[in-house]
Amino acid sequence: MPLSVRDVLALEPLRAGFPQVIAGAEHLSRPVRWVHVSQLTDLTGLLRGGELVLTTAEGPAGARDEPGLAAYLARLDAAGAAGVVIEAVGAAGGHLAGSSERPESGAGPSPGGGSGADGDGGGGGDGEDRAAALARAAEGLRFPVILLRHGVRFVDVTEAVHSQIVNEHYEELKFAQRTHEAFTTLSLEHAALETVVGRAAALSGTAVVFEDVAHRVLASTPGPGGSTVDLLTGWERRSRLVPELDRTGIGGGEDWLHTPVVVHQRVWGRLVMPDARGTDGGRAPRVRMVLERAAQALSLRLMAEQDQADVERRAQGGLLNDLAEGRVPGEPEALARAEAVGLRPGARYLPLALRFAHPPAADPLDVQRRDRRHLEAVIRAAKAAGISALVTANHTGEIRVLFSCAAPTQEDRLLERFAGLLDQQLPGSGQHGDGQHRRIGVGHGASSLVAAARRLPEAAHIAEVAAGMDGAERPFHRSADLRLRGLLSLLRDNRHLQAFAETELYRILEDEARNGPGLLGLLRDYLAVNGNKNALARRTRLSRPTLYTRIAAIERLLGVDLEDPESRACLYVALLTRDLVAPHTRTP
């Protein structure tokens, strides 16, 4: 931090002179850029602003006529001096400059204005007169006037002050270099928005928030001792009261320090330090430097994004992942963060997961493009249904969603409307389009946002199991719809269940490996129609003699009677288990 007049007065060389603030005590925080020693009457052409002037009562500051003294002080003020320190020595003050005489050990500097002179070296009544004259001459000025009641060595003062200033400049340079290196590294690493914002908060020691142009929070980090709840509660309303600026500045009733984040000459949002007034009113050079360097790093990062929607989805996805994995400590923080990224509060929250099928051996770029289209379709369908939601692409073929519901009784109606609109939005929807290859898994809703989000894996499990189910298309699936398949999916990693499936099917699997496919598919179709040979003939388009011959071959191969209900049940469980353990082996 820059050295202030108050800091200079606290240095030992000046403390030894027992400084007394005659005027301008409210301006002691003015920064001191340098110290200038002079006895000249007019320093207007010699000062550049920010200098603390040291002089003595033997010079112009000792002028007996108050108009001359007032003119001298006014010229210093006009030249931008940080303040003036006057040593009351010599003929007028009763002590010689540089004298070794010092007051008794118990004495100390006067805390405020006025003469404060005593019988110990203030020059008696003459010192009191000088202090009073200085106070009258300094009236109305905007800088401190200090009187030293005892002599000091000005060379010691300048040496101490300049050493502090040089050290401060060196520390500022080191901090600037550290800041530059930190954000340059983050830019080269294509660091996430959250990482950039977190580093800015760590370097500045204050809260930092990155918001988009709609005042939705894309990344945030509270300051030391602060909380996300306090930081983000009512964020959109508070942010709208802070006027937009085209450069770094302070605004709004809360004195937010903020700067725009610009990408390709377009404002994407702004980086805000809401608590910056706690760091010298938000004007501290270090804080401002960190804010601007972080904004530059964010701009570079955003240039790699395809559009602003990608950034918003990533912010929502980060929150959903944090909620699902228990990284959000409590409901108040979850609600504050969710509202900040665009989720309307609700009486109930509903976790969903959507699974989309991809053709076998699909090109990875085609898969990526299709996933993106699916994600956009889900977002459009939710908006068309009037549903406030958080949406994220969890991994290839899967999208996770958290709905906000006004009441529990609205769940099914909202889900049906959403599913219908989604089928309309999906590319190629229709009889043979993507709409026929999507599954929606719905987890148990909850009045708590945290509780609902932690059930997203449950919804994903339901969607995954439903993706392997045959039968009529449902708008959505709940856990109760999975039945036996749902139970087996939970047990599919159990070695005993896997061994059972292998024992039931290994003879027919060996036959297919030796003679080619055919019997396993027929067995699957036979079980799907529950042994009804008429339905099986229509399904397979085989003649009756051929069908009966092949069924008999399966019975001989497996050593079972397919008319036996237990045999059919065991084989059905074995086939389901095989499908769940190795879905790519399933016969179409």
Side-chain angles (χ1 to χ4, degrees):
M1 295 292 292
L3 205 63
S4 67
V5 176
R6 182 179 288 104
D7 297 329
V8 173
L9 296 182
L11 295 176
E12 182 56 33
L14 274 180
R15 285 178 56 84
F18 285 76
Q20 176 184 349
V21 180
I22 300 299
E26 66 276 17
H27 300 298
L28 290 177
S29 61
R30 294 186 67 166
V32 175
R33 187 182 59 81
W34 207 243
V35 172
H36 188 78
V37 180
S38 178
Q39 297 287 78
L40 296 179
T41 303
D42 189 356
L43 298 176
T44 303
L46 301 178
L47 302 182
R48 291 191 299 166
E51 295 89 352
L52 181 66
V53 176
L54 304 182
T55 188
T56 70
E58 294 175 334
R64 286 295 180 181
D65 59 308
E66 289 187 16
L69 182 58
Y72 169 71
L73 296 177
R75 284 193 293 270
L76 290 181
D77 188 13
V84 61
V85 177
I86 303 168
E87 188 182 57
V89 296
H95 289 290
L96 296 176
S99 170
S100 63
E101 183 178 351
R102 292 291 181 264
E104 297 178 2
S105 60
S110 173
S115 69
D118 54 27
D120 180 41
D126 197 28
E128 294 176 1
D129 291 343
R130 176 173 290 106
L134 277 172
R136 290 191 295 271
E139 187 175 350
L141 298 181
R142 298 164 298 175
F143 75 143
V145 177
I146 296 101
L147 184 65
L148 297 180
R149 293 187 291 153
H150 292 276
V152 300
R153 289 170 55 88
F154 281 175
V155 67
D156 293 340
V157 176
T158 57
E159 184 179 272
V161 174
H162 292 169
S163 175
Q164 291 272 356
I165 291 173
V166 170
N167 289 339
E168 177 66 27
H169 286 172
Y170 178 66
E171 290 299 322
E172 290 297 322
L173 287 174
K174 286 204 304 182
F175 182 81
Q177 181 180 4
R178 189 164 70 250
T179 300
H180 171 76
E181 291 175 351
F183 289 112
T184 298
T185 300
L186 292 177
S187 297
L188 292 175
E189 294 175 348
H190 300 288
L193 304 180
E194 296 83 358
T195 304
V196 176
V197 169
R199 185 63 58 86
L203 286 170
S204 64
T206 187
V208 182
V209 177
F210 177 40
E211 65 170 15
D212 65 8
V213 292
H215 306 281
R216 290 172 294 197
V217 175
L218 303 178
S220 66
T221 300
S227 71
T228 302
V229 177
D230 294 336
L231 178 62
L232 298 183
T233 296
W235 177 266
E236 181 180 349
R237 175 189 57 79
R238 294 160 58 202
S239 179
R240 291 187 182 279
L241 298 177
V242 181
E244 302 288 343
L245 301 175
D246 59 0
R247 65 189 67 186
T248 305
I250 299 172
E254 298 182 51
D255 288 338
W256 285 3
L257 176 67
H258 57 100
T259 193
V261 176
V262 180
V263 179
H264 299 308
Q265 300 181 340
R266 181 166 64 95
V267 176
W268 273 53
R270 60 180 174 180
L271 194 61
V272 183
M273 290 181 173
D275 303 327
R277 60 179 174 184
T279 56
D280 190 23
R283 297 173 180 84
R286 290 190 179 189
V287 172
R288 188 179 293 259
M289 179 199 311
V290 169
L291 182 71
E292 293 175 345
R293 286 294 288 116
Q296 293 171 10
L298 289 173
S299 296
L300 292 174
R301 180 66 184 88
L302 290 169
M303 287 180 185
E305 301 290 345
Q306 296 189 23
D307 55 40
Q308 191 160 358
D310 289 339
V311 183
E312 296 166 3
R313 292 167 193 159
R314 184 170 287 108
Q316 291 192 1
L319 174 57
L320 282 178
N321 289 336
D322 287 348
L323 287 168
E325 296 174 14
R327 290 194 293 266
V328 179
E331 188 74 7
E333 179 173 333
L335 291 172
R337 289 182 60 183
E339 185 176 359
V341 296
L343 182 72
R344 291 195 305 267
R348 193 167 179 82
Y349 301 94
L350 196 61
L352 281 73
L354 296 92
R355 296 279 297 188
F356 296 90
H358 289 292
D363 180 76
L365 290 179
D366 288 340
V367 171
Q368 186 178 14
R369 284 192 287 266
R370 182 175 291 195
D371 281 344
R372 183 178 179 85
R373 291 196 297 269
H374 289 161
L375 180 63
E376 292 170 350
V378 169
I379 293 172
R380 289 195 301 269
K383 288 182 178 179
I387 300 171
S388 180
L390 300 178
V391 183
T392 184
N394 193 51
H395 55 71
T396 300
E398 181 182 295
I399 296 172
R400 294 188 179 186
V401 185
L402 195 66
F403 280 175
S404 174
C405 304
T409 55
Q410 294 184 357
E411 284 186 13
D412 287 351
R413 182 171 57 84
L414 284 177
L415 289 169
E416 290 171 0
R417 187 166 64 194
F418 167 73
L421 290 168
L422 177 61
D423 287 341
Q424 296 175 20
Q425 293 287 342
L426 285 172
S429 61
Q431 185 176 0
H432 303 293
D434 289 346
Q436 300 300 314
H437 299 286
R438 64 106 182 113
R439 292 292 188 272
I440 301 177
V442 182
H444 288 87
S447 57
S448 163
L449 180 63
V450 171
R454 289 180 180 173
R455 292 170 183 165
L456 281 168
E458 171 197 343
H461 170 74
I462 295 171
E464 179 185 6
V465 175
M469 294 175 63
D470 294 320
E473 176 73 15
R474 291 174 177 265
F476 54 89
H477 294 78
R478 296 185 184 271
S479 57
D481 301 323
L482 304 184
R483 308 184 71 185
L484 178 60
R485 185 181 293 269
L487 174 62
L488 293 177
S489 68
L490 294 174
L491 301 174
R492 62 185 173 187
D493 294 328
N494 185 286
R495 62 184 180 87
H496 299 295
L497 180 62
Q498 294 174 8
F500 166 80
E502 183 66 22
T503 300
E504 290 289 321
L505 298 173
Y506 84 93
R507 288 190 181 91
I508 197 170
L509 293 174
E510 282 186 356
D511 180 78
E512 290 222 332
R514 184 179 300 111
N515 301 316
L519 294 183
L520 184 65
L522 181 60
L523 174 62
R524 188 187 298 276
D525 289 335
Y526 178 87
L527 296 175
V529 298
N530 198 26
N532 187 317
K533 293 182 176 62
N534 291 328
L536 182 61
R538 290 193 299 271
R539 184 183 182 109
T540 60
R541 298 181 180 179
L542 294 174
S543 66
R544 292 300 178 94
T546 302
L547 183 64
Y548 294 155
T549 299
R550 292 187 181 181
I551 291 175
I554 292 174
E555 290 179 324
R556 287 194 305 271
L557 191 62
L558 296 178
V560 298
D561 178 7
L562 291 181
E563 294 294 329
D564 177 44
E566 183 176 351
S567 294
R568 289 208 300 266
C570 288
L571 290 170
Y572 183 67
V573 169
L575 281 173
L576 280 181
T577 301
R578 178 172 167 77
D579 292 342
L580 292 169
V581 172
H584 62 280
T585 63
R586 175 174 175 171
T587 302

